[in-house]
Amino acid sequence: MSDVQKVQVGEVQLAYRVWGEPDAPPVVLLHCLGEDGEDWRGVVGRLAGTHRVFALDQRGHGRSDWPGEYGFARWRDDAIGFVTALGLARVTLIGHSLGAVTALLLAADRPELVDMLVLEEAAPPVPADPPQEVPEQPEGPQSFDWRAKTAVVAERNMPDAFEWDALAKISAPTLVIAGGSTSHIPQHHLAGVADRIPDARLVTVEGGGHFVHEERPGEFLTAVTAFLGARS
């Protein structure tokens, strides 16, 4: 894997890895809750053949700072700061779950920064049913700050209206990837996300579950590369 680098964004240092040619169009990968940039290792090689790929450790995860303060708006602002600090222009954002929410909020808030958008199994901005509970923190060291999980559960149970409103503000061409019947995310919610975004298409990778890029990496990459190729 690529060496880990760090950049200061506001009050936090964010860790990231980078692959691909410096002059290739930029892609920023945003992982799910509890993971870090290493989570993309199964798909990054092919993406780096055509793009400059940046895999970020979001705050509270991996080698980035764990400040104890979390929430989708903070992760969005960190991602905006990351893109601007590195001087990246018109990036393709690929986000999974928590990272997909980060990506869609960024695309809605700062459309000039985003060329294309890929949302894998985005947590829908509707109250979790039944409400989620925070499991007890496991003993021993963790790979991420457990307080981030507490923040995500709170926002999943009572989403802020701005998350739903943000979908209609996204102007970037968008691919929504769903994992089919084995996902814990209600698939009709993902269809609703795609319907709400003005220029979006939905692709279902049956058997992908919530972790499509891990369970079905070939099909995930086929969908993503076809989308990027058609829009370039």
Side-chain angles (χ1 to χ4, degrees):
M1 298 295 290
S2 172
D3 291 337
V4 174
Q5 303 179 45
K6 291 193 174 184
V7 62
Q8 188 73 34
V9 174
E11 78 280 11
V12 294
Q13 271 202 334
L14 299 178
Y16 66 98
R17 301 147 189 82
V18 59
W19 305 262
E21 296 299 323
D23 59 348
V27 166
V28 175
L29 305 176
L30 298 170
H31 60 79
C32 69
L33 177 69
E35 294 290 346
D36 59 26
E38 293 283 339
D39 182 58
W40 299 99
R41 58 190 171 274
V43 298
V44 73
R46 185 163 161 190
L47 292 172
T50 53
H51 291 77
R52 180 74 161 173
V53 181
F54 299 83
L56 176 65
D57 290 359
Q58 300 192 80
R59 75 160 61 200
H61 294 77
R63 301 191 191 181
S64 289
D65 287 347
W66 298 15
E69 297 179 345
Y70 305 105
F72 290 127
R74 282 193 168 92
W75 283 308
R76 173 202 63 197
D77 292 346
D78 287 347
I80 291 171
F82 176 78
V83 169
T84 54
L86 268 60
L88 305 179
R90 303 288 295 172
V91 303
T92 291
L93 287 177
I94 301 178
H96 172 222
S97 195
L98 179 156
V101 178
T102 301
L104 71 87
L105 293 176
L106 190 165
D109 194 61
R110 296 292 299 275
E112 75 279 5
L113 298 178
V114 182
D115 188 34
M116 289 181 282
L117 182 63
V118 177
L119 306 175
E120 176 193 356
E121 284 279 307
V126 295
D129 185 19
Q132 296 183 359
E133 294 184 3
V134 181
E136 187 175 342
Q137 181 173 346
E139 294 184 4
Q142 304 296 311
S143 62
F144 74 107
D145 190 338
W146 201 253
R147 290 170 292 185
K149 187 172 187 70
T150 302
V152 168
V153 168
E155 293 205 39
R156 287 284 288 112
N157 288 337
M158 296 185 64
D160 194 299
F162 81 88
E163 295 174 34
W164 184 254
D165 295 341
L167 296 173
K169 298 178 182 177
I170 295 171
S171 58
T174 302
L175 174 65
V176 178
I177 298 179
S181 59
T182 55
S183 171
H184 71 276
I185 298 288
Q187 298 294 283
H188 68 278
H189 286 329
L190 296 180
V193 167
D195 287 342
R196 183 79 171 170
I197 298 171
D199 184 8
R201 58 172 300 207
L202 173 69
V203 169
T204 298
V205 179
E206 192 57 55
H210 189 53
F211 297 87
V212 183
H213 70 277
E214 293 182 7
E215 297 296 329
R216 296 287 190 272
E219 292 170 71
F220 174 85
L221 284 166
T222 295
V224 171
T225 55
F227 170 69
L228 299 182
R231 300 290 187 167
S232 63

